Amino acid sequence: MSTLVIVESPTKARTIRNFLPSTYRVEASMGHVRDLPSSAEEIPEAVKGEKWAQLGVNVEADFEPLYVIPKDKKKIVKELKDALKDATELILATDEDREGESISWHLLQILKPKVPIKRMVFHEITREAIRDALTHCRDIDNRVVQAQETRRILDRLVGYTLSPLLWKKIAWGLSAGRVQSVAVRLLVRRERERRAFRQGSYWDLKATLTPPNPPLGKGGASDNPPLGKGGASDNPPLGKGGQGGAFDAKLVTVGNVKVANGSDFDENTGQIIAGRRVLLLNEEQARALLSRIQNKPWTVSNLEERPVTRKPSPPFTTSTLQQEANRKLRLGARETMRIAQSLYERGFITYMRTDSVHLSEQAIEAARSCVQELYGSEYLSPQPRKYTTKSKGAQEAHEAIRPAGSTFRTPQQTGLDGIDFRLYDLIWKRTVASQMADSRQTHVTVLTQVEDAGFRSSGKRIDFPGFLRAYVEGSDDPNAALEDQEVILPALKVGDKPNCKDLGAIGHETQPPARYTEASLVKMLESEGVGRPSTYASIIGTIVDRGYAKLIANALIPTFTAFAVTTLLETHFPDLVDTGFTSRMEQTLDEIATGEAKWLPYLQKFYTGETGLATQVKEQESQIDAKVARTVVLENISAKVCIGKFGAYLESESEEGLVKASIPQDLTPADLDPEQVEFLLKQKMEGPEKLGLHPETGEPIYVLIGSYGPYVQLGDVSETNKKPKRASLPKGTDKDSVTVDMAVSLLTLPRLLGTHPETGAKVQANLGMYGPYVVHDQGKVGKDYRSIKPPDDVLTITLDRALEMLAQPKAARGSSKTATPLKELGAHPESGELINVYDGRYGPYVKHGDINASLAKDESVENFTLQKALDLLAAKEAAGGGKSSSKSKKSTKTAAAKSETAAKKTTTAKKTTAAKSETAAKKTTAKKTESAAKKTTAKKTATATTAKKTTK
């Protein structure tokens, strides 16, 4: 007797294998084994001549899908069929969502098993959950399969019908999607709002006051000390300000009239909103008021204390996890889901694609036990908190994302590290906090009066922290502090006369609407009911990959191409980019899953009806002028912005004819203004702006703007000088501020600062893609870089300062902190470079040159040796991983005896070293390469599975 269990990924298979008897064989399907054809070569010969074949859906035969087994899945299918031959029972154990149900159904269609079949579902991979699932198997839910198939067909119809239209009318390679296009429109609409925004300015006063008497020793505003130990690592310090100390007061009224602030301005005019009775102060008026009240007495006119109770947030759903991971960990939605998938498959968390905030009784008990043990009974909510999902369409899984098991392992008990640890930590805290007591706070407002000017001071006292001990939710507003920052005001009473320690006039400017981050876009899509949370990661990834948006400083910035595509769809297919229409479509798909709606009539009406998509495209195609479609109209810009083969460009009529000028890639639609347009066109028509002459060569120096921003150029382009010397301006440098001296200095880059006293190699300063830097260039040995940060300047930095910087350890990538080795192992036997173990985003890794190799999950840093590092690095490069320096490549090739040419160039000493290490290297390479290949395959498969599941 043997049972074949099929899951999606190798990682999941390995974990489940540990919980089943030896008679069970667990294999992975590597995601979907069958899908609609993705290219012409996948279309079977029998139907290649059919007009619907490219679509992959026979719209004339009740929308019958054309399913094919992709080339890269044929071997997997054969292996599964071979495994089934020896089985007496088949268990389909794919995920418990629409995609998982669909994968099981497709496996059934392909394998055609003649043995008993069971469908096993679970939402966590623990021994208890798997054993329980084995006793509660069911049949495949055909309604869920039908809902997924309808969704897949619908997405194919939208994408494959509209995308070719975009190729013809705007640019090749563009795509449209049922949810993707709506998301792009949201980004474009926000960017339009930023363009329409008109800045307003206002002034007010800010005072620093101190209480009239010395601070009380005990009691006062709060007897509660700030939270100390026991709080979560991401909690802000509670206790800003201080009892009896100085406190801030802001001007709010003058002569009983409210003083204008940012909320009183109309974003479209930059003026006060019509009908608002407020006093708008300019700088002169603010300073005059300051002078008038400067030395006048202050009096507390009113004091109000308002108790506030806050409840913890519910446990994570897919979308809230993506939002919070983006806010707190700066993870993109796609990366969050990849890490969560790995945690789920290894048995650390429950299923990560869920709309539900519900916790099982087992989970509630586990969370409450954690609270009791770690924080004490006073921090436990009086009754178990039970959360219900408000969304009608919630269906992906029956429980929120939480730590797996009947008892929750603390983050420190998991053995996880790096980003895996941090995401688990976030999930653990949110789950535990959901069963904690309310936070009790007191909000304090103090009004003070000085002559006819009224000031307000706001404070917050944490009377009982409750769930804030474990978890504080982040904010979408990057300028806002966490809501739970405690601000203590001194003990005051009406009639007190505080002392004014400082009084200043402050100018403000209103800010345009903030661009969407991944977190805020996910939040918006969910609130509008557009798409499924499980697909948001894929959607955002597609938007960036297809060039519709750039992700800069965590903001999603739409491109000019996004503007053109959105305008075309809004004009000719408004329903498809309307959030309400897309939301109703989502509801219908949910109703198909529950049997409340029929799939075929819906597809017929959507696609082939009188107002169906196919009919609309046929009618509209002849009406769409490609030249108009490729043109983006922006307010206050006289020139046209056009989409070309190589990006966006300006087009304008002049006396000499049509003028075209490229738009720099870093210039966003919201930031393109008339001055920039004028400069770009003038540069194109009149040639570059001459800054002056080079003092030594006499050649002209020009300031230009190119595709990658402003730069200076020495001399003219000619037949004999096709590539004149050029240098980019340092980031943040305005082209109008460039002088001849600065340009001459920039054109000297890279600057030779001198030679390194230890190696004799040259040390240079230069500007690169990521900013200014110094480099210690040792030729074949390699290059050692350090970024130049203010106040150091690439044009003035000295050799001594460069040597000082090079002596410091490199900063960790993506971090401003110095990368301090976890362990120093010693020098490489050939290159002499130090090999160290560092703490990286994905856990400990060993580094040599440009090769990084991660330590195994069960490998101890303390016990890790130089020899182990050499073996690991050799295996990594042999497997093709990493980008090595010239020296590293040479060393590895010599050690493996792979290149006769390289071997001849090495010294006798190197040959000897290679001979000694050859045997070890071969063994290690074989063993480690196999391990690395398996890990890579598993990782790629998990990613592919996620991507496949979330494609829209």
Side-chain angles (χ1 to χ4, degrees), residues 586-625:
E586 206 67 57
Q587 290 174 14
T588 303
L589 291 169
D590 288 338
E591 288 167 0
I592 291 170
T594 59
E596 299 173 59
K598 301 295 183 183
W599 68 275
L600 184 57
Y602 178 70
L603 286 179
Q604 289 171 334
K605 181 181 178 182
F606 173 80
Y607 193 71
T608 58
E610 290 183 9
T611 59
L613 180 61
T615 308
Q616 288 185 55
V617 170
K618 190 174 181 180
E619 292 176 351
Q620 295 288 336
E621 184 171 353
S622 60
Q623 300 176 24
I624 300 174
D625 186 319

Short mmCIF file of all heavy atoms in Angstrom, two decimals, residues 586-625:
data_model
loop_
_atom_site.label_atom_id
_atom_site.label_comp_id
_atom_site.label_asym_id
_atom_site.label_seq_id
_atom_site.Cartn_x
_atom_site.Cartn_y
_atom_site.Cartn_z
N GLU A 586 -15.82 41.88 -9.89
CA GLU A 586 -15.26 41.02 -8.84
C GLU A 586 -16.37 40.35 -8.04
O GLU A 586 -16.28 39.16 -7.70
CB GLU A 586 -14.39 41.86 -7.93
CG GLU A 586 -13.29 41.10 -7.21
CD GLU A 586 -12.24 40.58 -8.15
OE1 GLU A 586 -11.64 41.36 -8.89
OE2 GLU A 586 -12.03 39.34 -8.14
N GLN A 587 -17.43 41.09 -7.76
CA GLN A 587 -18.56 40.53 -7.02
C GLN A 587 -19.23 39.41 -7.81
O GLN A 587 -19.61 38.37 -7.25
CB GLN A 587 -19.57 41.63 -6.71
CG GLN A 587 -19.09 42.64 -5.68
CD GLN A 587 -20.05 43.80 -5.50
OE1 GLN A 587 -21.20 43.75 -5.94
NE2 GLN A 587 -19.59 44.86 -4.88
N THR A 588 -19.34 39.60 -9.13
CA THR A 588 -19.95 38.57 -9.96
C THR A 588 -19.11 37.30 -9.96
O THR A 588 -19.65 36.18 -9.88
CB THR A 588 -20.11 39.07 -11.41
OG1 THR A 588 -20.88 40.27 -11.41
CG2 THR A 588 -20.80 38.03 -12.28
N LEU A 589 -17.79 37.47 -10.01
CA LEU A 589 -16.91 36.30 -9.97
C LEU A 589 -17.04 35.57 -8.64
O LEU A 589 -16.99 34.33 -8.58
CB LEU A 589 -15.46 36.73 -10.20
CG LEU A 589 -15.13 37.22 -11.62
CD1 LEU A 589 -13.76 37.87 -11.66
CD2 LEU A 589 -15.22 36.06 -12.61
N ASP A 590 -17.22 36.32 -7.56
CA ASP A 590 -17.45 35.69 -6.26
C ASP A 590 -18.78 34.94 -6.25
O ASP A 590 -18.89 33.86 -5.65
CB ASP A 590 -17.45 36.75 -5.15
CG ASP A 590 -16.06 37.30 -4.88
OD1 ASP A 590 -15.08 36.61 -5.23
OD2 ASP A 590 -15.95 38.41 -4.34
N GLU A 591 -19.78 35.51 -6.89
CA GLU A 591 -21.10 34.86 -6.95
C GLU A 591 -21.06 33.59 -7.78
O GLU A 591 -21.79 32.64 -7.50
CB GLU A 591 -22.13 35.85 -7.51
CG GLU A 591 -22.47 36.98 -6.54
CD GLU A 591 -23.22 38.12 -7.19
OE1 GLU A 591 -23.49 38.03 -8.42
OE2 GLU A 591 -23.55 39.10 -6.49
N ILE A 592 -20.21 33.56 -8.79
CA ILE A 592 -20.04 32.33 -9.58
C ILE A 592 -19.46 31.23 -8.69
O ILE A 592 -19.85 30.06 -8.77
CB ILE A 592 -19.13 32.60 -10.79
CG1 ILE A 592 -19.85 33.50 -11.80
CG2 ILE A 592 -18.71 31.29 -11.46
CD1 ILE A 592 -18.98 34.01 -12.92
N ALA A 593 -18.54 31.61 -7.79
CA ALA A 593 -17.91 30.65 -6.89
C ALA A 593 -18.92 30.04 -5.92
O ALA A 593 -18.77 28.89 -5.48
CB ALA A 593 -16.78 31.30 -6.11
N THR A 594 -19.93 30.83 -5.57
CA THR A 594 -20.94 30.34 -4.62
C THR A 594 -22.18 29.78 -5.31
O THR A 594 -23.11 29.33 -4.65
CB THR A 594 -21.37 31.48 -3.68
OG1 THR A 594 -21.91 32.56 -4.46
CG2 THR A 594 -20.19 31.98 -2.86
N GLY A 595 -22.19 29.81 -6.65
CA GLY A 595 -23.33 29.29 -7.39
C GLY A 595 -24.46 30.28 -7.55
O GLY A 595 -25.51 29.93 -8.10
N GLU A 596 -24.28 31.53 -7.11
CA GLU A 596 -25.33 32.53 -7.23
C GLU A 596 -25.44 33.11 -8.64
O GLU A 596 -26.43 33.74 -8.99
CB GLU A 596 -25.09 33.68 -6.24
CG GLU A 596 -25.09 33.25 -4.78
CD GLU A 596 -24.67 34.39 -3.87
OE1 GLU A 596 -25.34 35.43 -3.88
OE2 GLU A 596 -23.65 34.23 -3.16
N ALA A 597 -24.39 32.95 -9.45
CA ALA A 597 -24.40 33.47 -10.81
C ALA A 597 -23.87 32.40 -11.76
O ALA A 597 -23.11 31.52 -11.36
CB ALA A 597 -23.54 34.73 -10.91
N LYS A 598 -24.29 32.49 -13.02
CA LYS A 598 -23.86 31.54 -14.04
C LYS A 598 -22.71 32.14 -14.83
O LYS A 598 -22.76 33.29 -15.25
CB LYS A 598 -25.02 31.20 -14.98
CG LYS A 598 -26.23 30.61 -14.27
CD LYS A 598 -25.89 29.24 -13.66
CE LYS A 598 -27.12 28.60 -13.01
NZ LYS A 598 -26.78 27.32 -12.35
N TRP A 599 -21.69 31.33 -15.06
CA TRP A 599 -20.48 31.84 -15.68
C TRP A 599 -20.62 32.11 -17.17
O TRP A 599 -20.14 33.12 -17.68
CB TRP A 599 -19.32 30.88 -15.44
CG TRP A 599 -19.46 29.55 -16.15
CD1 TRP A 599 -20.13 28.46 -15.72
CD2 TRP A 599 -18.90 29.22 -17.42
NE1 TRP A 599 -20.05 27.45 -16.63
CE2 TRP A 599 -19.30 27.88 -17.69
CE3 TRP A 599 -18.13 29.88 -18.36
CZ2 TRP A 599 -18.94 27.21 -18.86
CZ3 TRP A 599 -17.75 29.23 -19.53
CH2 TRP A 599 -18.17 27.91 -19.77
N LEU A 600 -21.32 31.22 -17.91
CA LEU A 600 -21.39 31.36 -19.36
C LEU A 600 -22.16 32.61 -19.81
O LEU A 600 -21.65 33.38 -20.63
CB LEU A 600 -21.97 30.09 -19.99
CG LEU A 600 -22.00 30.07 -21.52
CD1 LEU A 600 -20.60 30.30 -22.09
CD2 LEU A 600 -22.57 28.75 -22.03
N PRO A 601 -23.37 32.84 -19.28
CA PRO A 601 -24.07 34.06 -19.68
C PRO A 601 -23.28 35.32 -19.37
O PRO A 601 -23.32 36.30 -20.13
CB PRO A 601 -25.37 34.00 -18.86
CG PRO A 601 -25.56 32.56 -18.55
CD PRO A 601 -24.19 32.01 -18.39
N TYR A 602 -22.54 35.29 -18.26
CA TYR A 602 -21.77 36.48 -17.89
C TYR A 602 -20.66 36.74 -18.91
O TYR A 602 -20.46 37.88 -19.35
CB TYR A 602 -21.17 36.31 -16.50
CG TYR A 602 -20.32 37.49 -16.09
CD1 TYR A 602 -20.90 38.73 -15.80
CD2 TYR A 602 -18.93 37.38 -16.03
CE1 TYR A 602 -20.11 39.81 -15.45
CE2 TYR A 602 -18.14 38.46 -15.69
CZ TYR A 602 -18.74 39.67 -15.40
OH TYR A 602 -17.96 40.76 -15.06
N LEU A 603 -19.91 35.69 -19.29
CA LEU A 603 -18.84 35.86 -20.27
C LEU A 603 -19.40 36.29 -21.63
O LEU A 603 -18.80 37.13 -22.32
CB LEU A 603 -18.05 34.57 -20.43
CG LEU A 603 -17.11 34.18 -19.29
CD1 LEU A 603 -16.42 32.85 -19.58
CD2 LEU A 603 -16.06 35.26 -19.06
N GLN A 604 -20.54 35.73 -22.01
CA GLN A 604 -21.14 36.10 -23.29
C GLN A 604 -21.52 37.56 -23.32
O GLN A 604 -21.24 38.27 -24.29
CB GLN A 604 -22.38 35.22 -23.56
CG GLN A 604 -22.03 33.76 -23.87
CD GLN A 604 -23.25 32.88 -23.90
OE1 GLN A 604 -24.27 33.16 -23.26
NE2 GLN A 604 -23.17 31.77 -24.64
N LYS A 605 -22.12 38.03 -22.24
CA LYS A 605 -22.51 39.44 -22.19
C LYS A 605 -21.29 40.36 -22.15
O LYS A 605 -21.26 41.39 -22.83
CB LYS A 605 -23.37 39.68 -20.94
CG LYS A 605 -23.85 41.13 -20.81
CD LYS A 605 -24.69 41.31 -19.55
CE LYS A 605 -25.12 42.76 -19.40
NZ LYS A 605 -25.90 42.97 -18.14
N PHE A 606 -20.28 39.96 -21.40
CA PHE A 606 -19.09 40.81 -21.25
C PHE A 606 -18.31 40.92 -22.55
O PHE A 606 -17.81 41.99 -22.90
CB PHE A 606 -18.18 40.24 -20.16
CG PHE A 606 -16.86 40.95 -20.06
CD1 PHE A 606 -16.76 42.17 -19.39
CD2 PHE A 606 -15.71 40.43 -20.66
CE1 PHE A 606 -15.54 42.85 -19.32
CE2 PHE A 606 -14.50 41.10 -20.59
CZ PHE A 606 -14.42 42.31 -19.92
N TYR A 607 -18.22 39.80 -23.30
CA TYR A 607 -17.30 39.80 -24.45
C TYR A 607 -17.99 39.91 -25.81
O TYR A 607 -17.56 40.68 -26.66
CB TYR A 607 -16.45 38.53 -24.41
CG TYR A 607 -15.27 38.58 -25.36
CD1 TYR A 607 -14.19 39.43 -25.09
CD2 TYR A 607 -15.23 37.81 -26.52
CE1 TYR A 607 -13.10 39.50 -25.96
CE2 TYR A 607 -14.15 37.86 -27.38
CZ TYR A 607 -13.09 38.72 -27.11
OH TYR A 607 -12.02 38.78 -27.96
N THR A 608 -19.05 39.15 -26.01
CA THR A 608 -19.64 39.10 -27.36
C THR A 608 -21.00 39.80 -27.46
O THR A 608 -21.59 39.81 -28.53
CB THR A 608 -19.79 37.64 -27.82
OG1 THR A 608 -20.61 36.92 -26.86
CG2 THR A 608 -18.44 36.97 -27.93
N GLY A 609 -21.49 40.35 -26.37
CA GLY A 609 -22.77 41.05 -26.43
C GLY A 609 -22.71 42.32 -27.27
O GLY A 609 -21.66 42.70 -27.78
N GLU A 610 -23.84 43.00 -27.40
CA GLU A 610 -23.90 44.22 -28.21
C GLU A 610 -22.93 45.28 -27.71
O GLU A 610 -22.39 46.07 -28.49
CB GLU A 610 -25.33 44.78 -28.19
CG GLU A 610 -26.33 43.92 -28.97
CD GLU A 610 -27.71 44.56 -29.00
OE1 GLU A 610 -27.82 45.73 -28.56
OE2 GLU A 610 -28.64 43.90 -29.45
N THR A 611 -22.74 45.33 -26.40
CA THR A 611 -21.78 46.29 -25.84
C THR A 611 -20.56 45.56 -25.28
O THR A 611 -19.84 46.10 -24.44
CB THR A 611 -22.45 47.10 -24.71
OG1 THR A 611 -22.92 46.19 -23.69
CG2 THR A 611 -23.61 47.93 -25.25
N GLY A 612 -20.35 44.34 -25.73
CA GLY A 612 -19.24 43.53 -25.24
C GLY A 612 -17.89 44.08 -25.67
O GLY A 612 -17.78 44.91 -26.59
N LEU A 613 -16.85 43.57 -25.03
CA LEU A 613 -15.50 44.07 -25.28
C LEU A 613 -15.06 43.88 -26.73
O LEU A 613 -14.49 44.79 -27.34
CB LEU A 613 -14.51 43.37 -24.33
CG LEU A 613 -13.04 43.79 -24.47
CD1 LEU A 613 -12.87 45.27 -24.15
CD2 LEU A 613 -12.16 42.96 -23.54
N ALA A 614 -15.30 42.70 -27.29
CA ALA A 614 -14.89 42.44 -28.67
C ALA A 614 -15.56 43.42 -29.63
O ALA A 614 -14.94 43.93 -30.57
CB ALA A 614 -15.22 41.01 -29.05
N THR A 615 -16.84 43.67 -29.39
CA THR A 615 -17.59 44.61 -30.23
C THR A 615 -17.04 46.02 -30.09
O THR A 615 -16.85 46.73 -31.08
CB THR A 615 -19.09 44.59 -29.84
OG1 THR A 615 -19.57 43.25 -29.85
CG2 THR A 615 -19.90 45.45 -30.81
N GLN A 616 -16.76 46.42 -28.86
CA GLN A 616 -16.23 47.77 -28.62
C GLN A 616 -14.88 47.98 -29.30
O GLN A 616 -14.65 49.01 -29.93
CB GLN A 616 -16.07 48.00 -27.11
CG GLN A 616 -17.37 48.19 -26.34
CD GLN A 616 -17.09 48.53 -24.89
OE1 GLN A 616 -16.38 49.50 -24.60
NE2 GLN A 616 -17.65 47.75 -23.99
N VAL A 617 -14.00 46.99 -29.17
CA VAL A 617 -12.67 47.12 -29.76
C VAL A 617 -12.77 47.22 -31.28
O VAL A 617 -12.08 48.04 -31.92
CB VAL A 617 -11.77 45.94 -29.36
CG1 VAL A 617 -10.46 45.94 -30.17
CG2 VAL A 617 -11.46 45.99 -27.88
N LYS A 618 -13.64 46.42 -31.86
CA LYS A 618 -13.82 46.46 -33.31
C LYS A 618 -14.33 47.81 -33.78
O LYS A 618 -13.88 48.35 -34.80
CB LYS A 618 -14.80 45.35 -33.72
CG LYS A 618 -14.89 45.13 -35.22
CD LYS A 618 -15.77 43.93 -35.53
CE LYS A 618 -15.84 43.68 -37.04
NZ LYS A 618 -16.71 42.52 -37.35
N GLU A 619 -15.26 48.39 -33.01
CA GLU A 619 -15.82 49.68 -33.38
C GLU A 619 -14.84 50.83 -33.13
O GLU A 619 -14.75 51.77 -33.92
CB GLU A 619 -17.11 49.93 -32.59
CG GLU A 619 -18.26 49.00 -32.97
CD GLU A 619 -19.48 49.21 -32.09
OE1 GLU A 619 -19.34 49.97 -31.08
OE2 GLU A 619 -20.54 48.64 -32.37
N GLN A 620 -14.11 50.75 -32.04
CA GLN A 620 -13.27 51.87 -31.62
C GLN A 620 -11.93 51.92 -32.35
O GLN A 620 -11.35 52.98 -32.50
CB GLN A 620 -13.01 51.79 -30.11
CG GLN A 620 -14.24 51.96 -29.25
CD GLN A 620 -14.74 53.40 -29.24
OE1 GLN A 620 -13.99 54.33 -29.50
NE2 GLN A 620 -16.01 53.56 -28.97
N GLU A 621 -11.44 50.76 -32.82
CA GLU A 621 -10.10 50.71 -33.39
C GLU A 621 -9.92 51.71 -34.53
O GLU A 621 -8.92 52.41 -34.61
CB GLU A 621 -9.77 49.30 -33.87
CG GLU A 621 -8.34 49.17 -34.39
CD GLU A 621 -7.93 47.73 -34.65
OE1 GLU A 621 -8.71 46.81 -34.31
OE2 GLU A 621 -6.84 47.54 -35.18
N SER A 622 -10.92 51.79 -35.41
CA SER A 622 -10.80 52.69 -36.55
C SER A 622 -10.93 54.16 -36.15
O SER A 622 -10.53 55.06 -36.88
CB SER A 622 -11.87 52.35 -37.60
OG SER A 622 -13.17 52.49 -37.03
N GLN A 623 -11.51 54.39 -34.97
CA GLN A 623 -11.71 55.77 -34.51
C GLN A 623 -10.52 56.32 -33.71
O GLN A 623 -10.46 57.50 -33.44
CB GLN A 623 -12.98 55.86 -33.65
CG GLN A 623 -14.24 55.44 -34.38
CD GLN A 623 -15.46 55.45 -33.45
OE1 GLN A 623 -15.47 56.16 -32.45
NE2 GLN A 623 -16.46 54.64 -33.78
N ILE A 624 -9.62 55.44 -33.33
CA ILE A 624 -8.48 55.87 -32.52
C ILE A 624 -7.33 56.29 -33.43
O ILE A 624 -6.79 55.47 -34.19
CB ILE A 624 -8.02 54.73 -31.57
CG1 ILE A 624 -9.16 54.33 -30.63
CG2 ILE A 624 -6.80 55.18 -30.76
CD1 ILE A 624 -8.84 53.12 -29.77
N ASP A 625 -6.98 57.54 -33.37
CA ASP A 625 -5.85 58.07 -34.13
C ASP A 625 -4.56 57.76 -33.36
O ASP A 625 -4.39 58.20 -32.22
CB ASP A 625 -6.02 59.58 -34.31
CG ASP A 625 -4.95 60.18 -35.21
OD1 ASP A 625 -3.77 59.79 -35.09
OD2 ASP A 625 -5.29 61.06 -36.03
#
